Amino acid sequence: TYPTPVGESAGYGWNGVASGGGGGGGGPAAFPGGRGGIGKMVVRYQIGTVAADGAPTNSQKATGGHCALYNNKWIHTFTRQTNSGPGVMGVDVQAFTNTTGAPIEVEYVVIGGGGSGANPSGYCGGGGAGGYRTGTLTVPPGPNPVSVGQGGLSDYSYNHQDANQGQQTTFATIISRGGGAGGGKASGPGGNAD
C-alpha cells in the first residue's frame, strides 16, 4: 500500500497556482503529480470621464466577472465558475457583456489551464503552464463568451496513468491553449496541448 500524504508538502507533486495557469509538479517517489492551475481571463477598459470630486461618471460599460475600478479603468476578472471542484473537467460558460450599445475597445489577458504533473514511479516531469495571450480587442455590444480552462487533473488513484493537459481559456475570438501534460518514466512522454 502507498502512504497517505497530508497536503502538498507531505509528498504530492506541488499543485499549480490557482487561477494562474501554472503546471503541476511531477510526483516524487510513490506519490502522484500535482494538478495544473486553473486559467484566468482579465479585461479592462478606460472609463468615460471623471467628475471634479474624483467620482467616475458614465463609467461601467460592461458586466461579467468580478468588477473593480482602478486608476480610471474598469477591470473584469473571470475565474472558473462551472464545475470548479477538484476532479471535474466540465465546460465553464460565462460572458463579458458590453452594455453600451456600441463597440468598445478593451485590453485583455487570457491564461489557459496548466497541465498536471506526471505520476509515479520513477522520473516524473511537471506539467506545462497554460498559454498566455495579451492584446486589445474591439468588443461588439451584447454578450461575448468567456470560458476559463480547468487545470489538468492529477491521478490520485496511484494507477500510473498519464498526466492530463489543461483546458483552453477563451474570450470572444481569443484562445489560450492549456498547458501540456508532464512526462514520466512510467507514464510515457509529456504532451503538447496543441
Side-chain angles (χ1 to χ4, degrees):
T1 62
Y2 291 104
T4 302
V6 179
E8 296 162 326
S9 62
Y12 288 144
W14 289 95
N15 292 331
V17 175
S19 293
F31 296 101
R35 68 178 179 270
I38 296 170
K40 182 179 271 187
M41 201 286 285
V42 180
V43 172
R44 73 177 182 176
Y45 52 86
Q46 187 72 40
I47 66 172
T49 59
V50 176
D53 63 359
T57 61
N58 186 29
S59 61
Q60 193 165 350
K61 301 176 182 178
T63 61
H66 303 283
C67 303
L69 181 62
Y70 177 76
N71 202 21
N72 295 329
K73 291 188 178 184
W74 275 104
I75 300 169
H76 297 250
T77 303
F78 292 82
T79 55
R80 192 166 171 83
Q81 299 295 310
T82 306
N83 298 328
S84 59
V88 180
M89 291 294 283
V91 175
D92 180 66
V93 180
Q94 302 180 61
F96 174 81
T97 303
N98 174 355
T99 58
T100 66
I104 59 172
E105 185 170 280
V106 301
E107 300 169 84
Y108 63 82
V109 176
V110 180
I111 304 171
S116 68
N119 300 303
S121 62
Y123 314 105
C124 298
Y132 178 90
R133 296 190 64 181
T134 63
T136 58
L137 181 69
T138 300
V139 177
N144 295 270
V146 173
S147 179
V148 178
Q150 176 72 291
L153 302 180
S154 180
D155 174 28
Y156 290 107
S157 66
Y158 301 98
N159 289 330
H160 305 287
Q161 296 176 358
D162 288 348
N164 296 292
Q165 70 183 40
Q167 288 181 326
Q168 66 186 19
T169 296
T170 62
F171 167 50
T173 59
I174 308 303
I175 300 173
S176 284
R177 304 285 182 205
K185 178 180 176 183
S187 60
N192 184 331
D194 285 336

